[in-house]
Amino acid sequence: MIRLHDFELSGSCYEIRLLLNMLSVPYEKVNVDLVNQQQESPTYLDLNPFGEQPILEDGSLRLRNAEAILTYVARKYDKFGTWYPSDADGAARIHQWLATASGDLMHLARATSVKVFHLPANLGHLLALSHRVLRFLDGHLENRKWLELGRPTIADVACFPHIALCEEAGVFDLKEYRNVSEWVERFKTVPGFVRMYAVSSVS
Ligand SMILES: N[C@@H](CCC(=O)N[C@@H](CS)C(=O)NCC(=O)O)C(=O)O
């Protein structure tokens, strides 16, 4: 059975839990205590020398990086190929958003961490960078229901957590980004959607 090394409050780990649930793929969850730096223990550094979660194991295969894991899970377990198509155009469109999830959207994740865990960082700078991504996303979602291909794909799964969680943590009021806000609510209606333990309740 698939094993997911997971931290409940991590948006990157949440991406994987969402897709596994949406595809009804059974998995075993191993909790990694990021608050107490368990990811830096020799056991975890052996699994991922970058000291980050999520890590997914499927038989003898071990993968790090949420977006790499999403592509693997979709390609292997979505028998209809709707979440991650194999044509060059569709796959590349989706990869743009996977890169955004691992790149610019991490500003939102860092801003959320600063707010929830009081980590030392320049919140103002992170917020400015986050607003820039949200403005772009809001424009992209004008006249679109989903990020690409007119249906939910792993592009939406990858981007949703960081955006939804920053709102739950009170970092942003997404109402100023109407299209993003509607997309967040739409995503919550996808069959198999699971909530994450409310971020705001631990602050
Ligand atoms: N895009 C990377 C982000 C991974 C990442 O930053 N994970 C965080 C949790 S959201 C982590 O493990 N942080 C531990 C640390 O930085 O010490 C991925 O998907 O693997």
Side-chain angles (χ1 to χ4, degrees):
M1 184 188 286
I2 287 182
R3 178 181 296 157
L4 175 66
H5 298 272
D6 178 73
F7 178 60
E8 172 67 25
L9 296 178
S10 152
S12 301
C13 295
Y14 185 31
E15 293 176 38
I16 314 304
R17 298 197 302 270
L18 280 165
L19 186 64
L20 289 170
N21 270 287
M22 288 169 170
L23 291 175
S24 303
V25 177
Y27 67 102
E28 172 197 358
K29 209 161 59 169
V30 180
N31 290 314
V32 185
D33 185 355
L34 292 199
V35 174
N36 290 307
Q37 301 287 306
Q38 199 186 355
Q39 76 279 13
E40 297 292 343
S41 68
T43 310
Y44 270 100
L45 287 178
D46 199 35
L47 292 180
N48 179 4
F50 291 104
E52 291 178 342
Q53 306 305 320
I55 300 167
L56 181 130
E57 295 177 286
D58 193 5
S60 59
L61 177 70
R62 184 192 305 142
L63 292 170
R64 62 175 170 79
N65 181 272
E67 290 73 33
I69 295 170
L70 289 181
T71 58
Y72 168 74
V73 170
R75 185 55 52 84
K76 175 135 189 187
Y77 293 101
D78 170 19
K79 51 181 180 289
F80 302 111
T82 58
W83 291 85
Y84 179 46
S86 54
D87 67 287
D89 182 315
R93 282 173 187 278
I94 285 171
H95 270 276
Q96 294 183 122
W97 293 106
L98 301 184
T100 301
S102 249
D104 285 49
L105 281 177
M106 290 307 284
H107 299 312
L108 277 70
R110 288 188 197 103
T112 305
S113 298
V114 170
K115 176 101 181 178
V116 174
F117 298 115
H118 310 293
L119 299 183
N122 185 336
L123 185 59
H125 183 58
L126 289 172
L127 290 178
L129 292 170
S130 302
H131 277 296
R132 195 179 62 165
V133 192
L134 287 170
R135 266 196 306 276
F136 169 67
L137 201 59
D138 204 57
H140 179 80
L141 284 167
E142 185 79 38
N143 303 321
R144 280 189 181 89
K145 286 192 162 175
W146 305 102
L147 289 178
E148 295 296 341
L149 311 184
R151 61 174 190 265
T153 66
I154 58 171
D156 303 279
V157 177
C159 294
F160 171 83
H162 308 296
I163 296 168
L165 294 175
C166 75
E167 189 184 36
E168 275 196 63
V171 181
F172 290 103
D173 183 357
L174 278 187
K175 286 193 183 58
E176 61 179 292
Y177 301 103
R178 186 175 51 85
N179 300 320
V180 174
S181 184
E182 287 176 6
W183 167 79
V184 163
E185 292 312 308
R186 194 173 300 123
F187 186 84
K188 292 178 185 170
T189 67
V190 174
F193 174 81
V194 275
R195 279 189 67 81
M196 184 204 263
Y197 176 76
V199 172
S200 48
S201 70
V202 299
S203 61

